[in-house]
Structures are given as structure tokens and as C-alpha cells.
Amino acid sequence: MTERKVLVVSAFEAEMQPLASACAAAALSEVGAEVTAWDAHLFARPEPVGRFDLALVGVGQFEGLARGLDLVRRLRNRASRTIVFGQYAQMNSAAFLDEADGVLFEEPERVARELVSGELANVPALRGSWGMAPRPPHRRLAYTKPARELFPSLVHYHAHHTRYGLMGNIEATRGCHHRCTYCSVYGAYDGGIAPIEAEAVVRDALQLADEGVRHFCFIDAEFFNSRRLGIQVAERIVAEVGPCTFEMTTRVDHILDYTAELERFVELGLRRVTSALEFPSDRILRIFDKGIDLGDTRRAIAEADRLGFALNPTFIPFTPWVSYEELLTFEDFLAETGLERTTDPTALQTRLLLFKGSPLLGSPWLDGVDTVDRGFFVEWTHPDRRVEELWLRRRQDAEDVGKVRCCVKC
């Protein structure tokens, strides 16, 4: 087979080096493609020159949707085929299929060989004008190591500079086995997960260590998608690199249930855990199908303190179902629990995003809520005008200091 020229493009990666695109690039290289990579978010210029047999555009986050569509349009005349991948590409496949040749409903690593074959109709889980071939077997994702060298060095990305030193973003799984109704990961993966071969994750950590990284962030949507995989990877990293520190994301109920695993992880260097607490209201937690109540949240806060890691909470205070009075007491809850020390100020203005593909769009909880279709999302209006006015004030305060955030996956 003639070597094919492939361009892998990241539309948006939240100020981090694009890991998903680096993994896809590695897998494509390993099946014989000549791969060029481009971070079109933070390093939009210079744009790669030349013509390509395939342009693979990653749209993994909401903020990358408009840029992703624009990139597909720009690349159509420079690539024989354009394909889009990532969870938000899947949930907006109709919009992308107006511009691209296909939308991939699978991890690129699993279908790398078929992607470079040139016969798009034979690519498993690729949706196009011809329909979609069946998904491949759900084996673990395997590649030698992410092709980070194709992107600018970590030091050029703001999010990699942390209080713990230079941070490396690694992942042991994709997807999430939980079904929280507001979550984009559930919207795209429907409770499925894609585990990654441990050897590939360790090799990635070692190449990051060569750049000076000693603090590793597991960017898995749920660290405990596998009860032991992430811990085993961390043990391997410490054995190979020496003393390290770690952070990860997990749920309240896992903080309460996985005590032995967390104690071991703290021994290995766990310093920070992000957990979605949503809002201190049992009613909101039920609507979000969190499977926890406010009592669980309070116990998890205490457990984090006992185990010895910092709890980094995320919240969604502005939803169609919160009351104005509840919002006024939110900061009291933060002070009472001690979370005011670790809660990002953007939490005070975070608003629920009803993205296209959100499971909440089919929920009876939205009955009676005023909504307007805005293309990539559905705009909602709270029935109490005071809630909307409070959000606008807090949003403006955040904009004034350059700290704006809209809930996508928290």
C-alpha cells in the first residue's frame, strides 16, 4: 500500500497538549501513514502546508464545535477525505456530515488501518452518506506511545504549569460507566468505556518524565472506570520514574467506597481529586441521576480530609430547577464545609449546558421550561427572573476578571 499522507488536527483541548490527537497520530503512524499534526486552537498559525490524503479533525469538547466545522471547510480543498472524531463530533454528526466525508463513532486507534486504506465505506463505525459499518470488537486501545513530538512541547501550554510543577496529562480509559444525565461523556459513550493498554500509558508517562514532568494528571472522565488499572499504572510510573505526585477525577460514591485503593494512591503521591458535587440539593442530584444524596457529599468531603488529598469540587449552581433562595445560600455551604478554600471562583457562575445530544433534552424535567434551539445547544430560561439576573451579574463579574466557564463535563 502506498504511504498515505494524513493530517491530524485538534480543534480545541482546553489549553493542554492534545492527547487524543497525539494518540490517533501514533496509531496512524504505526500502520504506515506519514502523519502531520496541528493544534489549531492554541497554535492556529502556521497552518501545515501541502496536500493530504486524509484530514482527521478532533472535536472532543463543546468549545471546539464551531472551529471544527470551520476547519473541515478550510481543509476540503487540501485533503482527499476529511473525517471528524471526538464525542462532540458524534453528537453533532448531522452538522458535520454537511461538510465532512464522515464522522467516526469509534476511537481512531481501533480503526487506524482502515482509515488509511482509502476505502471509507469499509471503516468500522464511520458514518457517511453510505451509512455506517458495524463497530469493531471492543479490545483495549493499543499503540506504542502518543506522538506528542508532533505537537508543541508541554511547556508552551498554560494548563501544564501547576502548583505541583510541570504537569503531564495521561489517561488510562476513555468514556464512563456512569450515566449522569447532564454529562457529555454519557451523551457520547452511553455508559461504555475504552480501556487503554497499561504499557502504552506507562511509556507515555516516561516520555513526559524525560521532559521534566513529575506531576501526572489522569484526565480520564472517571478514574475508577477500572478499579485497579489506574492504580497499577501509577505504581508502574513511580517504580520507573521515582517519587511523583498525581491528580485525577472520580465520583463522590467512589471516594466513599474505594477507601483501600485511595489509601494506596495517597501513598503513591495522590494530591488532588476533582469530583462533581453539582449542587447541595437532593432534588438537583436526583434530576442529574447522580446516585448520591447530600449526606454522601458531606461524608466524601470529610473522607478526603481523612485520607489526605485536596478535594477540588465542581458545581453547576445555575439550572432550570434551582430556586433563587438556594442560590443565595450556596456560598454558606462552601464556607460551612471548608470548600471555599478549594472551589474555583468560576463555580459561582457555572450554568448548565444543554448540548445537542444531552440526555436531559428528552427528560420530563424539562417539561414547562422555556427553551430555544441555538444549533449546537439548547438555551433555557429560568422561570424566576431573579435567577437569570443573578447569573448575568456573576457572569459579568467573571468576564471582568477573565474567568468564564460554562459547564460541559463537570
Short mmCIF file of all heavy atoms in Angstrom, two decimals, residues 39-101:
data_model
loop_
_atom_site.label_atom_id
_atom_site.label_comp_id
_atom_site.label_asym_id
_atom_site.label_seq_id
_atom_site.Cartn_x
_atom_site.Cartn_y
_atom_site.Cartn_z
N ASP A 39 -2.13 21.67 16.16
CA ASP A 39 -3.01 22.20 17.19
C ASP A 39 -3.61 23.49 16.63
O ASP A 39 -2.96 24.53 16.62
CB ASP A 39 -2.22 22.47 18.47
CG ASP A 39 -3.10 23.01 19.59
OD1 ASP A 39 -4.24 23.43 19.31
OD2 ASP A 39 -2.65 23.03 20.75
N ALA A 40 -4.85 23.42 16.17
CA ALA A 40 -5.49 24.57 15.53
C ALA A 40 -6.16 25.50 16.53
O ALA A 40 -6.78 26.48 16.14
CB ALA A 40 -6.51 24.09 14.51
N HIS A 41 -6.01 25.19 17.83
CA HIS A 41 -6.60 26.04 18.86
C HIS A 41 -5.58 27.05 19.36
O HIS A 41 -5.68 28.25 19.10
CB HIS A 41 -7.13 25.18 20.01
CG HIS A 41 -7.51 25.96 21.23
ND1 HIS A 41 -7.27 25.48 22.51
CD2 HIS A 41 -8.06 27.17 21.39
CE1 HIS A 41 -7.69 26.37 23.38
NE2 HIS A 41 -8.18 27.40 22.73
N LEU A 42 -4.55 26.58 20.04
CA LEU A 42 -3.57 27.48 20.62
C LEU A 42 -2.46 27.85 19.66
O LEU A 42 -1.74 28.83 19.88
CB LEU A 42 -2.98 26.84 21.89
CG LEU A 42 -3.95 26.68 23.05
CD1 LEU A 42 -3.26 26.04 24.24
CD2 LEU A 42 -4.56 28.01 23.45
N PHE A 43 -2.30 27.07 18.59
CA PHE A 43 -1.23 27.34 17.63
C PHE A 43 -1.83 27.33 16.22
O PHE A 43 -1.45 26.55 15.37
CB PHE A 43 -0.11 26.29 17.76
CG PHE A 43 0.53 26.29 19.12
CD1 PHE A 43 0.03 25.49 20.14
CD2 PHE A 43 1.60 27.12 19.40
CE1 PHE A 43 0.61 25.49 21.40
CE2 PHE A 43 2.17 27.13 20.67
CZ PHE A 43 1.69 26.32 21.67
N ALA A 44 -2.80 28.21 16.02
CA ALA A 44 -3.54 28.23 14.76
C ALA A 44 -2.67 28.58 13.56
O ALA A 44 -3.00 28.28 12.43
CB ALA A 44 -4.70 29.22 14.86
N ARG A 45 -1.56 29.24 13.79
CA ARG A 45 -0.59 29.54 12.73
C ARG A 45 0.79 29.10 13.20
O ARG A 45 1.11 29.24 14.39
CB ARG A 45 -0.58 31.05 12.42
CG ARG A 45 -1.87 31.58 11.85
CD ARG A 45 -2.08 31.06 10.41
NE ARG A 45 -3.27 31.67 9.80
CZ ARG A 45 -4.48 31.18 9.90
NH1 ARG A 45 -4.69 30.10 10.65
NH2 ARG A 45 -5.50 31.76 9.30
N PRO A 46 1.66 28.58 12.33
CA PRO A 46 1.39 28.40 10.90
C PRO A 46 0.58 27.14 10.61
O PRO A 46 0.76 26.11 11.25
CB PRO A 46 2.79 28.27 10.32
CG PRO A 46 3.59 27.66 11.43
CD PRO A 46 3.03 28.23 12.71
N GLU A 47 -0.28 27.24 9.65
CA GLU A 47 -1.08 26.10 9.21
C GLU A 47 -0.22 25.18 8.35
O GLU A 47 0.55 25.67 7.52
CB GLU A 47 -2.27 26.62 8.40
CG GLU A 47 -3.23 25.55 7.94
CD GLU A 47 -4.46 26.16 7.30
OE1 GLU A 47 -4.81 27.30 7.64
OE2 GLU A 47 -5.07 25.47 6.45
N PRO A 48 -0.30 23.88 8.55
CA PRO A 48 0.51 22.96 7.72
C PRO A 48 0.23 23.16 6.23
O PRO A 48 -0.91 23.41 5.82
CB PRO A 48 0.05 21.57 8.18
CG PRO A 48 -0.46 21.79 9.57
CD PRO A 48 -1.09 23.15 9.56
N VAL A 49 1.27 23.06 5.45
CA VAL A 49 1.13 23.26 4.01
C VAL A 49 1.13 21.91 3.30
O VAL A 49 1.48 20.88 3.88
CB VAL A 49 2.28 24.14 3.46
CG1 VAL A 49 2.23 25.51 4.08
CG2 VAL A 49 3.64 23.48 3.72
N GLY A 50 0.75 21.91 2.02
CA GLY A 50 0.76 20.70 1.24
C GLY A 50 -0.61 20.08 1.11
O GLY A 50 -1.61 20.57 1.66
N ARG A 51 -0.65 18.96 0.43
CA ARG A 51 -1.91 18.24 0.22
C ARG A 51 -1.86 16.91 0.98
O ARG A 51 -0.80 16.29 1.09
CB ARG A 51 -2.14 18.00 -1.27
CG ARG A 51 -3.45 17.29 -1.55
CD ARG A 51 -3.95 17.49 -2.96
NE ARG A 51 -5.27 16.86 -3.10
CZ ARG A 51 -6.41 17.43 -2.76
NH1 ARG A 51 -6.40 18.66 -2.27
NH2 ARG A 51 -7.56 16.79 -2.90
N PHE A 52 -3.03 16.48 1.45
CA PHE A 52 -3.11 15.28 2.27
C PHE A 52 -4.15 14.32 1.70
O PHE A 52 -5.15 14.73 1.11
CB PHE A 52 -3.47 15.64 3.72
CG PHE A 52 -2.46 16.54 4.38
CD1 PHE A 52 -2.60 17.92 4.32
CD2 PHE A 52 -1.36 16.01 5.03
CE1 PHE A 52 -1.66 18.76 4.91
CE2 PHE A 52 -0.42 16.83 5.63
CZ PHE A 52 -0.57 18.21 5.56
N ASP A 53 -3.88 13.03 1.91
CA ASP A 53 -4.87 12.03 1.52
C ASP A 53 -6.05 12.00 2.49
O ASP A 53 -7.18 11.68 2.10
CB ASP A 53 -4.22 10.64 1.48
CG ASP A 53 -3.12 10.57 0.44
OD1 ASP A 53 -3.43 10.74 -0.76
OD2 ASP A 53 -1.95 10.37 0.82
N LEU A 54 -5.77 12.34 3.76
CA LEU A 54 -6.81 12.31 4.78
C LEU A 54 -6.54 13.40 5.80
O LEU A 54 -5.41 13.59 6.25
CB LEU A 54 -6.81 10.94 5.49
CG LEU A 54 -7.70 10.81 6.74
CD1 LEU A 54 -9.17 10.92 6.37
CD2 LEU A 54 -7.43 9.48 7.46
N ALA A 55 -7.59 14.14 6.16
CA ALA A 55 -7.53 15.07 7.29
C ALA A 55 -8.47 14.54 8.37
O ALA A 55 -9.66 14.31 8.11
CB ALA A 55 -7.95 16.47 6.87
N LEU A 56 -7.93 14.30 9.56
CA LEU A 56 -8.68 13.77 10.69
C LEU A 56 -8.77 14.87 11.74
O LEU A 56 -7.77 15.25 12.34
CB LEU A 56 -7.98 12.53 11.25
CG LEU A 56 -8.70 11.73 12.32
CD1 LEU A 56 -9.97 11.09 11.77
CD2 LEU A 56 -7.77 10.65 12.88
N VAL A 57 -9.98 15.39 11.96
CA VAL A 57 -10.18 16.55 12.82
C VAL A 57 -10.83 16.12 14.13
O VAL A 57 -11.92 15.53 14.13
CB VAL A 57 -11.06 17.61 12.12
CG1 VAL A 57 -11.25 18.83 13.01
CG2 VAL A 57 -10.44 18.03 10.78
N GLY A 58 -10.16 16.40 15.26
CA GLY A 58 -10.67 16.01 16.56
C GLY A 58 -11.52 17.10 17.20
O GLY A 58 -11.06 18.23 17.37
N VAL A 59 -12.76 16.76 17.54
CA VAL A 59 -13.68 17.70 18.21
C VAL A 59 -14.20 17.01 19.47
O VAL A 59 -15.28 16.43 19.48
CB VAL A 59 -14.84 18.12 17.29
CG1 VAL A 59 -15.71 19.18 17.98
CG2 VAL A 59 -14.31 18.67 15.97
N GLY A 60 -13.40 17.07 20.52
CA GLY A 60 -13.75 16.37 21.74
C GLY A 60 -14.48 17.22 22.76
O GLY A 60 -15.02 16.69 23.73
N GLN A 61 -14.52 18.55 22.56
CA GLN A 61 -15.13 19.43 23.54
C GLN A 61 -16.06 20.42 22.87
O GLN A 61 -15.89 20.77 21.69
CB GLN A 61 -14.04 20.17 24.33
CG GLN A 61 -13.12 19.22 25.07
CD GLN A 61 -12.29 19.89 26.12
OE1 GLN A 61 -12.75 20.80 26.80
NE2 GLN A 61 -11.06 19.45 26.27
N PHE A 62 -17.02 20.90 23.62
CA PHE A 62 -18.04 21.80 23.08
C PHE A 62 -17.41 23.04 22.46
O PHE A 62 -17.84 23.49 21.39
CB PHE A 62 -19.00 22.21 24.21
CG PHE A 62 -20.05 23.19 23.79
CD1 PHE A 62 -21.18 22.77 23.10
CD2 PHE A 62 -19.91 24.54 24.07
CE1 PHE A 62 -22.15 23.68 22.69
CE2 PHE A 62 -20.87 25.45 23.67
CZ PHE A 62 -21.99 25.03 22.98
N GLU A 63 -16.39 23.57 23.11
CA GLU A 63 -15.78 24.80 22.62
C GLU A 63 -15.11 24.64 21.25
O GLU A 63 -14.78 25.63 20.60
CB GLU A 63 -14.74 25.31 23.62
CG GLU A 63 -15.33 25.79 24.94
CD GLU A 63 -15.45 24.68 25.98
OE1 GLU A 63 -15.45 23.49 25.58
OE2 GLU A 63 -15.54 24.99 27.17
N GLY A 64 -14.91 23.40 20.83
CA GLY A 64 -14.27 23.16 19.54
C GLY A 64 -15.24 22.97 18.39
O GLY A 64 -14.79 22.77 17.24
N LEU A 65 -16.55 23.06 18.63
CA LEU A 65 -17.52 22.75 17.58
C LEU A 65 -17.45 23.72 16.41
O LEU A 65 -17.31 23.32 15.25
CB LEU A 65 -18.93 22.73 18.16
CG LEU A 65 -19.32 21.45 18.90
CD1 LEU A 65 -20.62 21.63 19.66
CD2 LEU A 65 -19.45 20.29 17.90
N ALA A 66 -17.55 25.01 16.68
CA ALA A 66 -17.55 25.99 15.59
C ALA A 66 -16.21 25.96 14.85
O ALA A 66 -16.17 26.00 13.61
CB ALA A 66 -17.82 27.39 16.14
N ARG A 67 -15.10 25.86 15.61
CA ARG A 67 -13.79 25.81 14.97
C ARG A 67 -13.65 24.52 14.16
O ARG A 67 -13.06 24.52 13.08
CB ARG A 67 -12.68 25.89 16.01
CG ARG A 67 -11.28 25.92 15.38
CD ARG A 67 -10.19 25.99 16.42
NE ARG A 67 -10.15 27.28 17.08
CZ ARG A 67 -10.48 27.48 18.35
NH1 ARG A 67 -10.87 26.46 19.10
NH2 ARG A 67 -10.42 28.67 18.88
N GLY A 68 -14.18 23.42 14.67
CA GLY A 68 -14.09 22.16 13.94
C GLY A 68 -14.79 22.23 12.59
O GLY A 68 -14.26 21.76 11.58
N LEU A 69 -15.99 22.82 12.56
CA LEU A 69 -16.70 22.97 11.29
C LEU A 69 -15.91 23.86 10.33
O LEU A 69 -15.80 23.57 9.13
CB LEU A 69 -18.08 23.56 11.53
CG LEU A 69 -19.23 22.59 11.77
CD1 LEU A 69 -20.51 23.35 12.05
CD2 LEU A 69 -19.42 21.67 10.58
N ASP A 70 -15.36 24.93 10.86
CA ASP A 70 -14.57 25.83 10.02
C ASP A 70 -13.34 25.12 9.47
O ASP A 70 -12.98 25.29 8.30
CB ASP A 70 -14.16 27.07 10.83
CG ASP A 70 -13.33 28.04 10.00
OD1 ASP A 70 -13.85 28.56 9.00
OD2 ASP A 70 -12.16 28.27 10.36
N LEU A 71 -12.70 24.30 10.30
CA LEU A 71 -11.52 23.57 9.85
C LEU A 71 -11.86 22.60 8.72
O LEU A 71 -11.12 22.47 7.75
CB LEU A 71 -10.90 22.82 11.02
CG LEU A 71 -10.15 23.67 12.05
CD1 LEU A 71 -9.91 22.87 13.32
CD2 LEU A 71 -8.83 24.16 11.46
N VAL A 72 -12.98 21.90 8.86
CA VAL A 72 -13.39 20.96 7.81
C VAL A 72 -13.58 21.71 6.49
O VAL A 72 -13.14 21.25 5.42
CB VAL A 72 -14.67 20.21 8.22
CG1 VAL A 72 -15.23 19.43 7.04
CG2 VAL A 72 -14.38 19.27 9.38
N ARG A 73 -14.23 22.86 6.55
CA ARG A 73 -14.44 23.64 5.33
C ARG A 73 -13.11 24.09 4.73
O ARG A 73 -12.92 24.04 3.51
CB ARG A 73 -15.30 24.86 5.65
CG ARG A 73 -16.73 24.54 6.10
CD ARG A 73 -17.55 25.80 6.24
NE ARG A 73 -18.87 25.53 6.81
CZ ARG A 73 -19.22 25.86 8.05
NH1 ARG A 73 -18.37 26.51 8.84
NH2 ARG A 73 -20.42 25.57 8.50
N ARG A 74 -12.19 24.52 5.58
CA ARG A 74 -10.90 25.01 5.10
C ARG A 74 -10.04 23.90 4.50
O ARG A 74 -9.24 24.14 3.59
CB ARG A 74 -10.13 25.68 6.25
CG ARG A 74 -10.72 27.01 6.67
CD ARG A 74 -10.24 27.42 8.02
NE ARG A 74 -8.79 27.53 8.12
CZ ARG A 74 -8.14 27.81 9.25
NH1 ARG A 74 -8.82 27.99 10.36
NH2 ARG A 74 -6.83 27.90 9.26
N LEU A 75 -10.22 22.67 5.03
CA LEU A 75 -9.34 21.58 4.60
C LEU A 75 -9.89 20.78 3.43
O LEU A 75 -9.18 19.94 2.86
CB LEU A 75 -9.09 20.63 5.78
CG LEU A 75 -8.25 21.22 6.93
CD1 LEU A 75 -8.30 20.31 8.15
CD2 LEU A 75 -6.81 21.44 6.49
N ARG A 76 -11.13 21.03 3.05
CA ARG A 76 -11.74 20.22 1.99
C ARG A 76 -10.96 20.28 0.68
O ARG A 76 -10.89 19.30 -0.05
CB ARG A 76 -13.18 20.67 1.75
CG ARG A 76 -14.18 20.09 2.73
CD ARG A 76 -15.59 20.46 2.37
NE ARG A 76 -15.77 21.91 2.21
CZ ARG A 76 -16.94 22.50 2.10
NH1 ARG A 76 -18.05 21.77 2.13
NH2 ARG A 76 -17.04 23.81 1.97
N ASN A 77 -10.39 21.43 0.39
CA ASN A 77 -9.65 21.58 -0.86
C ASN A 77 -8.20 21.12 -0.76
O ASN A 77 -7.47 21.15 -1.76
CB ASN A 77 -9.68 23.04 -1.32
CG ASN A 77 -11.08 23.50 -1.69
OD1 ASN A 77 -11.88 22.70 -2.17
ND2 ASN A 77 -11.38 24.75 -1.44
N ARG A 78 -7.79 20.70 0.44
CA ARG A 78 -6.41 20.28 0.62
C ARG A 78 -6.28 18.82 1.05
O ARG A 78 -5.18 18.32 1.24
CB ARG A 78 -5.74 21.18 1.68
CG ARG A 78 -5.66 22.64 1.23
CD ARG A 78 -4.92 23.47 2.22
NE ARG A 78 -3.72 22.78 2.65
CZ ARG A 78 -3.20 22.92 3.87
NH1 ARG A 78 -3.78 23.69 4.76
NH2 ARG A 78 -2.10 22.28 4.19
N ALA A 79 -7.43 18.17 1.24
CA ALA A 79 -7.42 16.76 1.64
C ALA A 79 -8.41 15.99 0.79
O ALA A 79 -9.52 16.46 0.51
CB ALA A 79 -7.78 16.62 3.12
N SER A 80 -8.00 14.81 0.36
CA SER A 80 -8.90 13.98 -0.45
C SER A 80 -10.12 13.55 0.35
O SER A 80 -11.22 13.41 -0.21
CB SER A 80 -8.14 12.74 -0.95
OG SER A 80 -7.04 13.11 -1.75
N ARG A 81 -9.93 13.35 1.66
CA ARG A 81 -11.03 12.98 2.54
C ARG A 81 -10.89 13.73 3.85
O ARG A 81 -9.77 13.92 4.35
CB ARG A 81 -11.03 11.46 2.83
CG ARG A 81 -11.26 10.59 1.60
CD ARG A 81 -12.71 10.66 1.14
NE ARG A 81 -12.97 9.69 0.10
CZ ARG A 81 -12.82 9.94 -1.20
NH1 ARG A 81 -12.35 11.13 -1.59
NH2 ARG A 81 -13.11 9.01 -2.10
N THR A 82 -12.01 14.15 4.41
CA THR A 82 -12.00 14.76 5.75
C THR A 82 -12.93 13.96 6.65
O THR A 82 -14.07 13.67 6.29
CB THR A 82 -12.46 16.23 5.72
OG1 THR A 82 -13.75 16.31 5.10
CG2 THR A 82 -11.48 17.10 4.96
N ILE A 83 -12.41 13.59 7.81
CA ILE A 83 -13.17 12.82 8.80
C ILE A 83 -13.06 13.53 10.14
O ILE A 83 -12.01 14.07 10.49
CB ILE A 83 -12.62 11.38 8.91
CG1 ILE A 83 -12.88 10.63 7.60
CG2 ILE A 83 -13.23 10.64 10.08
CD1 ILE A 83 -12.27 9.25 7.57
N VAL A 84 -14.15 13.51 10.89
CA VAL A 84 -14.19 14.16 12.20
C VAL A 84 -14.37 13.09 13.27
O VAL A 84 -15.11 12.12 13.08
CB VAL A 84 -15.34 15.17 12.28
CG1 VAL A 84 -15.22 16.04 13.52
CG2 VAL A 84 -15.37 16.06 11.03
N PHE A 85 -13.68 13.24 14.39
CA PHE A 85 -13.84 12.30 15.51
C PHE A 85 -13.94 13.08 16.82
O PHE A 85 -13.68 14.27 16.88
CB PHE A 85 -12.69 11.30 15.56
CG PHE A 85 -11.38 11.86 16.10
CD1 PHE A 85 -11.01 11.65 17.42
CD2 PHE A 85 -10.53 12.59 15.28
CE1 PHE A 85 -9.81 12.15 17.91
CE2 PHE A 85 -9.33 13.09 15.75
CZ PHE A 85 -8.97 12.88 17.07
N GLY A 86 -14.33 12.38 17.88
CA GLY A 86 -14.48 13.00 19.19
C GLY A 86 -15.94 13.04 19.61
O GLY A 86 -16.85 13.00 18.78
N GLN A 87 -16.17 13.15 20.92
CA GLN A 87 -17.53 12.98 21.43
C GLN A 87 -18.50 14.05 20.92
O GLN A 87 -19.67 13.77 20.63
CB GLN A 87 -17.54 12.92 22.96
CG GLN A 87 -17.07 14.16 23.67
CD GLN A 87 -17.02 13.93 25.18
OE1 GLN A 87 -16.74 12.85 25.65
NE2 GLN A 87 -17.31 14.98 25.93
N TYR A 88 -18.04 15.29 20.79
CA TYR A 88 -18.95 16.32 20.30
C TYR A 88 -19.16 16.24 18.80
O TYR A 88 -20.19 16.70 18.29
CB TYR A 88 -18.47 17.70 20.74
CG TYR A 88 -18.98 18.04 22.12
CD1 TYR A 88 -18.20 17.82 23.24
CD2 TYR A 88 -20.27 18.52 22.30
CE1 TYR A 88 -18.68 18.09 24.51
CE2 TYR A 88 -20.76 18.80 23.56
CZ TYR A 88 -19.96 18.57 24.66
OH TYR A 88 -20.45 18.83 25.92
N ALA A 89 -18.22 15.66 18.08
CA ALA A 89 -18.45 15.39 16.66
C ALA A 89 -19.57 14.36 16.51
O ALA A 89 -20.45 14.49 15.65
CB ALA A 89 -17.16 14.89 16.01
N GLN A 90 -19.55 13.33 17.35
CA GLN A 90 -20.58 12.30 17.29
C GLN A 90 -21.96 12.88 17.56
O GLN A 90 -22.93 12.59 16.86
CB GLN A 90 -20.29 11.20 18.30
CG GLN A 90 -19.02 10.41 18.02
CD GLN A 90 -18.74 9.39 19.12
OE1 GLN A 90 -19.66 8.81 19.69
NE2 GLN A 90 -17.47 9.18 19.41
N MET A 91 -22.06 13.72 18.60
CA MET A 91 -23.36 14.24 18.99
C MET A 91 -23.87 15.33 18.04
O MET A 91 -25.03 15.72 18.11
CB MET A 91 -23.30 14.76 20.43
CG MET A 91 -23.12 13.65 21.44
SD MET A 91 -23.20 14.20 23.16
CE MET A 91 -21.68 15.15 23.30
N ASN A 92 -23.01 15.80 17.15
CA ASN A 92 -23.41 16.80 16.15
C ASN A 92 -23.09 16.28 14.74
O ASN A 92 -22.72 17.04 13.85
CB ASN A 92 -22.68 18.12 16.40
CG ASN A 92 -23.12 18.78 17.69
OD1 ASN A 92 -24.08 19.52 17.74
ND2 ASN A 92 -22.40 18.48 18.76
N SER A 93 -23.28 14.97 14.55
CA SER A 93 -22.86 14.35 13.29
C SER A 93 -23.61 14.93 12.10
O SER A 93 -23.02 15.06 11.01
CB SER A 93 -23.05 12.83 13.36
OG SER A 93 -24.41 12.50 13.58
N ALA A 94 -24.87 15.28 12.25
CA ALA A 94 -25.62 15.81 11.12
C ALA A 94 -24.99 17.09 10.59
O ALA A 94 -24.85 17.27 9.37
CB ALA A 94 -27.08 16.05 11.52
N ALA A 95 -24.60 17.98 11.50
CA ALA A 95 -23.97 19.23 11.07
C ALA A 95 -22.63 18.97 10.38
O ALA A 95 -22.32 19.59 9.36
CB ALA A 95 -23.78 20.15 12.27
N PHE A 96 -21.86 18.05 10.92
CA PHE A 96 -20.55 17.78 10.33
C PHE A 96 -20.65 17.05 8.99
O PHE A 96 -19.82 17.26 8.10
CB PHE A 96 -19.67 17.00 11.31
CG PHE A 96 -19.03 17.87 12.34
CD1 PHE A 96 -19.53 17.92 13.63
CD2 PHE A 96 -17.94 18.67 12.02
CE1 PHE A 96 -18.95 18.75 14.59
CE2 PHE A 96 -17.35 19.49 12.96
CZ PHE A 96 -17.86 19.54 14.25
N LEU A 97 -21.66 16.21 8.83
CA LEU A 97 -21.80 15.48 7.57
C LEU A 97 -22.21 16.38 6.42
O LEU A 97 -22.12 15.98 5.25
CB LEU A 97 -22.78 14.31 7.73
CG LEU A 97 -22.22 13.12 8.51
CD1 LEU A 97 -23.29 12.07 8.74
CD2 LEU A 97 -21.02 12.50 7.78
N ASP A 98 -22.67 17.60 6.72
CA ASP A 98 -22.91 18.56 5.66
C ASP A 98 -21.60 19.07 5.06
O ASP A 98 -21.59 19.62 3.95
CB ASP A 98 -23.69 19.76 6.19
CG ASP A 98 -25.16 19.43 6.47
OD1 ASP A 98 -25.65 18.44 5.88
OD2 ASP A 98 -25.80 20.14 7.26
N GLU A 99 -20.50 18.89 5.80
CA GLU A 99 -19.21 19.42 5.36
C GLU A 99 -18.14 18.35 5.18
O GLU A 99 -17.28 18.45 4.30
CB GLU A 99 -18.70 20.46 6.38
CG GLU A 99 -19.71 21.55 6.74
CD GLU A 99 -19.94 22.52 5.60
OE1 GLU A 99 -19.14 22.50 4.64
OE2 GLU A 99 -20.90 23.30 5.66
N ALA A 100 -18.14 17.32 6.04
CA ALA A 100 -17.09 16.31 6.05
C ALA A 100 -17.53 15.05 5.30
O ALA A 100 -18.72 14.85 5.02
CB ALA A 100 -16.72 15.96 7.49
N ASP A 101 -16.56 14.18 5.02
CA ASP A 101 -16.88 12.91 4.35
C ASP A 101 -17.38 11.87 5.33
O ASP A 101 -18.04 10.91 4.92
CB ASP A 101 -15.63 12.38 3.64
CG ASP A 101 -15.21 13.28 2.49
OD1 ASP A 101 -15.95 13.36 1.49
OD2 ASP A 101 -14.15 13.92 2.59
#
